[in-house]
Amino acid sequence: MTTATATAGTAAVATAAPLYVTGAGVVSAAGYGLAPLGELLLKQGELERHPAGEDAEAYPPRPVRAVHGFDVKAHLGRKGTKYLDRLTSFGLVACKEVLEGAEVSGGRTGVVLATNTGSVSTHSSLLYDTLTLEKPYLVNPGQFPNTVMNSTSGQIAIRNGLRGLNATVAGGQTASLLAFRHARLALGLGRAERLLVGGVEELSAPAAWAWHRTGVLREDAALGEGAAVFTVQQDPAEGALAELLACEVRFTPDPRQYADGLANAVARALDRSGVRPEEVTAVSLGAVHHRGLERIEERGVRAALGGELPRAVRVADVLGETYSASGALQLAALLALWQAEPPASPVTALVTSVGRDGNAAALVVRSPR
């Protein structure tokens, strides 16, 4: 998994071998797949700003970037979809897209998915029914499996016959990047040959009110939803969409040192990747629209790269805040831009994330060769 290299005058550094991204499945307010996301990012277009779903009227007064017109039955058929919530449906549709046409060995293929709390909508509706219905047996038991946070990754495995490693990652704002780090460790330990890695998030009125009341986002910040899932493997593959180099995380307990924590994570990730700071051509930022964190993230990246901020990609500007899925959609944004405007030669970019809990993460990505 890793090879030791040494630099004259410095300690030996274990350089991370690349992982290869061979497929991408994306569900977002921009549409399905990388192409519409790339087009939206290049044009900085405007999307619909109103909520979707049965609870649309109950949202707080702030813009949202919902996946409008989403019907899971149109993608997966009617069988087994009656009790699927929006979160699980996004994950299943993204995985269907990423697996389409791929030859997959179910026994050696697994899932690593960032979902944090699971479906807030399902939790809320089940709790409401439990407290308001006259008899316990009137509560629909079909809702209960969706209240478990690993329900989505389990449904993905069952529906696609994937019997390898199955993991759900919760890590707040950094959850998706923690999922990529978990996947790297799992592949390195031989726990699977191939993993579906990504993040998923749904919009609902209860979750929207939670964001609105906490005040952690700027007043004009939109809320978003969606999923991005990638097929990741160690073996080189012709036509790979990208190479994932090192992914490093850092926890910093003192909020005054959050920027230093992120700078440390970025520096370590670059070091493990064998990439010099001046070789980074773009950074996909995660704390966009977060009061306070936005500047901390930029300051941490600048510190690690020697003061300059390369081209900044802010996918939250077009898709809104997507929490669990933010890191995965940040990666999707880079891949979408590389597909829309292929670089003349391979370029290297960063995906960064920082949370209010002190966690920070950085993933180094290289465009196709």
Side-chain angles (χ1 to χ4, degrees):
M1 183 64 192
T2 59
T3 56
T5 61
T7 304
T10 64
V13 176
T15 302
L19 301 178
Y20 297 88
V21 178
T22 59
V26 179
V27 178
S28 74
Y32 301 90
L34 293 173
L37 179 57
E39 184 178 354
L40 183 68
L41 285 165
L42 290 174
K43 294 181 178 177
Q44 286 293 303
E46 271 289 324
L47 297 171
E48 293 184 62
R49 300 168 66 90
H50 59 274
E54 296 178 355
D55 61 353
E57 299 298 324
Y59 274 63
R62 68 182 311 140
V64 301
R65 302 284 186 267
V67 181
H68 285 280
F70 180 78
D71 180 4
V72 66
K73 295 189 290 296
H75 296 274
L76 305 178
R78 303 186 68 83
K79 185 177 180 182
T81 55
K82 183 175 181 180
Y83 294 117
L84 293 180
D85 58 29
R86 197 168 175 85
L87 184 91
T88 304
S89 299
F90 285 160
L92 286 169
V93 172
C95 287
K96 180 190 177 188
E97 184 180 342
V98 81
L99 290 173
E100 212 155 47
E103 292 184 12
V104 175
S105 168
R108 296 290 293 159
T109 301
V111 182
V112 182
L113 199 67
T115 61
N116 278 324
T117 58
S119 173
V120 173
S121 176
T122 301
H123 278 279
S124 303
S125 61
L126 189 64
L127 179 60
Y128 181 82
D129 288 349
T130 302
L131 296 175
T132 58
L133 295 179
E134 292 186 4
K135 300 292 182 182
Y137 59 79
L138 295 176
V139 177
N140 181 2
Q143 293 185 61
F144 181 75
N146 292 330
T147 64
V148 182
M149 66 177 290
N150 64 352
S151 172
T152 303
S153 60
Q155 287 280 357
I156 291 169
I158 293 168
R159 201 171 186 95
N160 295 289
L162 308 180
R163 301 184 300 281
L165 165 78
N166 192 281
T168 297
V169 179
Q173 205 68 32
T174 59
S176 281
L177 294 194
L178 295 180
F180 283 107
R181 180 168 171 78
H182 186 90
R184 168 171 283 283
L185 294 172
L187 288 169
L189 292 171
R191 298 283 304 279
E193 289 180 356
R194 183 183 294 110
L195 289 170
L196 305 187
V197 191
V200 58
E201 191 59 78
E202 66 171 10
L203 268 174
S204 66
W209 275 107
W211 282 110
H212 190 63
R213 290 298 191 196
T214 55
V216 296
L217 298 178
R218 295 200 317 245
E219 286 187 7
D220 60 344
L223 303 175
E225 63 179 353
V229 179
F230 307 88
T231 313
V232 177
Q233 62 186 48
Q234 286 183 293
D235 294 336
E238 190 174 345
L241 300 176
E243 295 177 13
L244 303 183
L245 305 180
C247 182
E248 292 292 323
V249 299
R250 175 72 186 264
F251 171 71
T252 308
D254 187 346
R256 294 169 297 182
Q257 298 176 357
Y258 281 3
D260 294 337
L262 177 60
N264 181 273
V266 171
R268 286 168 56 86
L270 292 176
D271 204 24
R272 295 283 318 276
S273 302
V275 172
R276 299 190 303 275
E278 60 270 25
E279 293 179 304
V280 176
T281 61
V283 56
S284 189
L285 298 165
V288 180
H289 305 154
H290 281 253
R291 286 189 169 112
L293 283 184
E294 196 167 13
R295 290 186 178 181
I296 286 173
E297 185 176 34
E298 290 192 17
R299 196 162 71 240
V301 174
R302 286 180 191 277
L305 300 185
E308 295 294 327
L309 188 69
R311 178 189 183 185
V313 178
R314 296 180 171 86
V315 70
D317 277 347
V318 295
L319 298 184
E321 169 55 46
T322 51
Y323 196 39
S324 307
S326 57
L329 286 167
Q330 288 169 246
L331 176 61
L334 287 175
L335 270 57
L337 290 171
W338 287 339
Q339 279 198 349
E341 294 180 340
S345 57
V347 295
T348 305
L350 278 172
V351 178
T352 59
S353 182
V354 58
R356 295 182 187 279
D357 54 2
N359 281 312
L363 170 66
V364 184
V365 191
R366 185 183 291 144
S367 68
R369 294 177 183 272

